[in-house]
Amino acid sequence: LVLSVLFAAAPRLCATYPLVRNFSRTQYSAGRQNWSVAQDKLGRMLFGNSDCLLVTDSRHWYQYFLSNYSTVRSLLLDGTDGVYAGGSEEFGVFRTSPAGELQYHSLMGTMGSRRPGAIGEIWHIHKAGSNILFQGDHHIFRYNGVDTEVFAAPAKIATSSVIKGNLYVAIEGMGLFYFKNGKFEEAP
């Protein structure tokens, strides 16, 4: 009786859980920590790793680096522009070259003289309308495709999220704010 119940339930149990394949660090030859993950339209998996951007097609691993070779903490895939990446004191975009390789383009220069003394870590990247928003430790960086505007938060930003096209930020010791028209306003 027990075996017949197990055999009857087995197909449903297999269908409930997706197949998971684990890779050891020696297989992908990069850092121990993976901070973010995304899947592109080709089915490749991308990982923000403590050493680089890791890309796998499930057979081969490829490494791509930020210009300062820092940790890649955050990723955002944008169907038209590429893969936005944020790390330590750096953010930019990986675009596919004519040869099919990902090439990194730093966006740090798009701030001009508005660049703050320290960027810190870029923990989250969001798309809101036509803008790409990079959330750092103490700033929001708004990239419009050409220039990047810098907005200082009143205190350290703990996390952020876009809800219905609006950026909300949790500011340590102060609560929840939303970012509107370049200003941080307390959420009602």
Side-chain angles (χ1 to χ4, degrees):
L1 178 66
V2 173
L3 287 177
S4 62
V5 170
L6 287 175
F7 284 123
R12 280 179 267 159
L13 290 175
C14 291
T16 305
Y17 299 102
L19 179 64
V20 175
R21 183 171 174 198
N22 292 308
F23 295 94
S24 71
R25 186 171 167 240
T26 57
Q27 289 174 289
Y28 60 79
S29 300
R32 294 180 186 271
Q33 293 180 308
N34 293 303
W35 291 93
S36 53
V37 63
Q39 185 174 18
D40 70 11
K41 60 186 174 189
L42 299 174
R44 298 178 302 182
M45 296 301 298
L46 295 85
F47 300 91
N49 182 271
S50 56
D51 287 349
C52 59
L53 169 65
L54 280 173
V55 179
T56 184
D57 58 9
S58 77
R59 288 194 330 249
H60 301 96
W61 289 91
Y62 305 94
Q63 297 180 0
Y64 302 97
F65 298 91
L66 300 182
S67 58
N68 67 355
Y69 295 91
S70 73
T71 295
V72 178
R73 297 214 188 266
S74 53
L75 297 172
L76 172 73
L77 271 68
D78 185 27
T80 58
D81 291 327
V83 181
Y84 289 93
S88 302
E89 298 293 328
E90 178 67 37
F91 60 87
V93 61
F94 287 93
R95 292 198 173 100
T96 306
S97 73
E101 291 286 319
L102 288 176
Q103 294 180 334
Y104 183 69
H105 304 273
S106 177
L107 296 176
M108 300 299 285
T110 63
M111 287 183 275
S113 63
R114 299 176 302 267
R115 181 179 175 168
I119 302 296
E121 304 291 334
I122 301 296
W123 294 105
H124 298 282
I125 308 171
H126 309 285
K127 184 165 181 139
S130 61
N131 295 311
I132 303 296
L133 305 170
F134 297 88
Q135 180 240 301
D137 290 321
H138 294 92
H139 298 86
I140 296 295
F141 303 92
R142 183 171 62 194
Y143 177 64
N144 64 13
V146 177
D147 295 315
T148 299
E149 294 179 272
V150 181
F151 303 94
K156 186 173 182 183
I157 301 171
T159 192
S160 62
S161 185
V162 170
I163 302 168
K164 295 184 179 179
N166 297 309
L167 178 67
Y168 288 84
V169 295
I171 298 180
E172 288 185 6
M174 298 180 74
L176 184 64
F177 285 69
Y178 65 97
F179 181 73
K180 184 176 181 180
N181 298 324
K183 295 182 181 171
F184 294 90
E185 299 179 15
E186 277 192 83

